[in-house]
Amino acid sequence: MQFELSEEHLMIQKAARDFASDVLKPGVIERDEKQLFPAEEIRQLARLGFLGMMVSPKYGGGGMDTVSYVLAMEEISKIDASSAVVMSVNNSLVCWGLEAFGTEEQKQKYLVPLAKGEILGAFCLSEPEAGSDATSQKTTAEDKGDYYLLNGVKNWITNGGNASVYLVMAQSDPAKGHRGINTLIVEKGMEGFKVGPKENKLGIRASDTHSLMFTDVKVPKKNRIGEDGFGFKFAMRTLDGGRIGIASQALGIASGAYELALAYAKERKSFGQSIAKHQIIQFKLADMATRIGAARLLCLRSAWLKDRHMDYSHASAMAKLYASEVAMETTVEAVQIHGGYGYVKEYHVERLMRDAKITQIYEGTSEVQRIVIARSLLHS
Ligand code: CAA
């Protein structure tokens, strides 16, 4: 066992860190306040190869491993968790699934531009009445021979407005339960497909989250991913990797808040000395650093298992569960250490605290992660 990062990992980490401070930081407060999608910043992220990091170069990707993805996600999320979720969804929920299970034609048509970041993708599982209980899909994909007729509504879709390609889960045969679900590739502009208004969110406000409406959308059969009825397993397999991305986002939010709190504690004086000299602040910093260290190890372990094609479902659930709780605890403490300054936008920690909350909810709530972990313990 060794804990050192390779030269290549360190280079990727530095590239992400530099990009975050040079390109993302300057406008991050304004984008959050006005809910401005980071379109130009995402284009630049694409040029760095960060929108299809793990996709093979054969399909326009960066050919990097999952450990690199964790390192890059942490650095981007320290500064701008909104850009990070755009990156995470495109990489792990869209590109990964297409590369793993798509046909050669689907890869050439959709994966190549997605991996190059020329277009963005979205993953559409959640519905108004099917969030954690994801097998209860109400959206239908009726088999009409050479096409599916898609009808229904999807909710909380990241990249919903800015994506060009949507992976949509829908029920084709209710009698078969989850084994009747298919995943279809839907293009923006297909007749009958409408994007609803943007959600006005607590955090990750610069990312765009929308409902999507499908009314008699004709989706060609060749746009189905995998065999008939594979759609739910496709979603679960894809989310296993997605959770590594969100765990790393949570890790970045926590470490960003911790670094700000540490710097502030050294500068700010009270009772005749810097507040970092007060034991109460030292204990807070010690707890933050310890928890962040543990979260980072869980993220890297799940990435390491995935890179070795070993079972990582429980490991990514553990990483997401723990890192998201650490993100919440750490950002709350970072605001506390900053006192009144922590409550205003210029000091960044209030935004990180708002951004942290969603990491306990999307791509499977903390409660869902506990279900996944407990099942793996009981079935192993
Ligand atoms: N890999 C492969 N197959 C899997 C799997 C996995 N990780 N997890 C489950 N399956 C399979 C099971 O083996 C089972 O198949 P069989 O019956 O053929 O054996 C089938 O899927 C159903 O599994 P369960 O019986 O375990 O299903 P369940 O109803 O008990 O639900 C659950 C399990 C873990 C709660 C699941 O529904 C779940 O993960 N829910 C949360 C969904 C989620 O994360 N939603 C977020 C959407 S994305 C998002 O947030 C938006 C965004 O844009 C970021």
Side-chain angles (χ1 to χ4, degrees), residues 85 89 93 122-126 130-135 155-159 178-179 232-234 236-237 239-240 243 246 313 361-365 368-369 371-372 375:
V85 72
V89 166
L93 291 189
F123 180 87
C124 314
L125 177 66
S126 301
S132 294
D133 182 10
T135 56
N155 250 19
W156 318 125
I157 306 304
T158 306
N159 296 342
H178 66 79
R179 295 191 189 108
F232 188 74
K233 288 199 177 163
F234 171 85
M236 292 296 108
R237 295 282 300 273
L239 280 164
D240 283 341
R243 289 166 185 164
I246 300 306
S313 178
I361 299 173
Y362 61 14
E363 296 199 30
T365 59
V368 163
Q369 306 313 321
I371 294 176
V372 173
R375 285 185 183 172

Side-chain angles (χ1 to χ4, degrees), residues 15-295:
R17 186 176 298 154
D18 291 348
F19 179 84
S21 70
D22 298 348
V23 180
L24 296 176
K25 195 169 178 188
V28 69
I29 293 174
E30 189 188 4
R31 289 195 300 277
D32 167 71
E33 207 170 346
K34 299 185 179 160
Q35 298 195 86
L36 299 175
F37 185 77
E40 177 48 32
E41 290 77 5
I42 295 296
R43 267 191 286 279
Q44 293 190 43
L45 207 50
R47 284 201 282 277
L48 271 185
F50 280 8
L51 287 193
M53 291 184 72
M54 295 166 287
V55 175
S56 148
K58 183 177 154 197
Y59 297 114
M64 294 173 242
D65 61 8
T66 317
V67 168
S68 306
Y69 176 53
V70 169
L71 298 172
M73 277 295 298
E74 180 182 355
E75 294 304 323
I76 301 292
S77 308
K78 275 185 192 175
I79 303 290
D80 183 359
S82 290
S83 293
V85 72
V86 177
M87 173 177 156
S88 180
V89 166
N90 204 67
N91 270 287
S92 39
L93 291 189
V94 182
C95 287
W96 184 83
L98 276 171
E99 185 165 27
F101 303 109
T103 62
E104 188 55 30
E105 190 185 342
Q106 289 168 352
K107 289 180 197 178
Q108 293 300 339
K109 185 168 178 190
Y110 300 111
L111 177 60
V112 171
L114 283 163
K116 289 182 178 168
E118 293 166 355
I119 57 171
L120 287 175
F123 180 87
C124 314
L125 177 66
S126 301
E127 298 186 352
E129 289 171 64
S132 294
D133 182 10
T135 56
S136 301
Q137 295 284 301
K138 300 279 183 297
T139 298
T140 54
E142 211 183 319
D143 189 338
K144 293 283 188 186
D146 56 352
Y147 66 89
Y148 286 101
L149 199 61
L150 185 64
N151 278 290
V153 177
K154 293 289 172 180
N155 250 19
W156 318 125
I157 306 304
T158 306
N159 296 342
N162 284 284
S164 303
V165 170
Y166 299 77
L167 307 187
V168 182
M169 287 87 216
Q171 181 56 265
S172 294
D173 188 349
K176 289 188 182 158
H178 66 79
R179 295 191 189 108
I181 293 172
N182 281 310
T183 297
L184 306 178
I185 305 172
V186 177
E187 293 176 27
K188 186 181 258 161
M190 280 182 169
E191 209 181 323
F193 171 26
K194 265 203 200 139
V195 176
K198 186 154 101 171
E199 302 290 351
N200 186 359
K201 309 190 295 282
L202 172 74
I204 56 161
R205 287 170 56 79
S207 70
D208 68 317
T209 309
H210 294 255
S211 294
L212 307 174
M213 278 74 83
F214 304 97
T215 311
D216 289 339
V217 182
K218 287 182 178 172
V219 185
K221 227 174 206 168
K222 63 181 182 187
N223 281 24
R224 186 184 73 211
I225 301 181
E227 294 296 305
D228 185 27
F230 178 65
F232 188 74
K233 288 199 177 163
F234 171 85
M236 292 296 108
R237 295 282 300 273
T238 306
L239 280 164
D240 283 341
R243 289 166 185 164
I244 301 178
I246 300 306
S248 313
Q249 183 196 29
L251 169 66
I253 292 170
S255 48
Y258 161 75
E259 286 175 13
L260 289 166
L262 180 66
Y264 183 81
K266 288 186 196 162
E267 272 169 27
R268 172 75 181 179
K269 293 203 166 35
S270 75
F271 304 100
Q273 56 185 353
S274 79
I275 63 169
K277 295 257 166 65
H278 300 311
Q279 198 177 50
I280 184 85
I281 300 293
Q282 291 176 0
F283 281 11
K284 283 185 195 295
L285 293 169
D287 284 347
M288 288 159 121
T290 305
R291 290 182 186 132
I292 289 167

Side-chain angles (χ1 to χ4, degrees), residues 257 288 326-337 349 353 356:
M288 288 159 121
V326 169
M328 210 55 238
E329 289 160 6
T330 307
T331 53
V332 167
E333 286 294 54
V335 171
Q336 193 68 18
I337 289 173
V349 284
M353 186 180 88

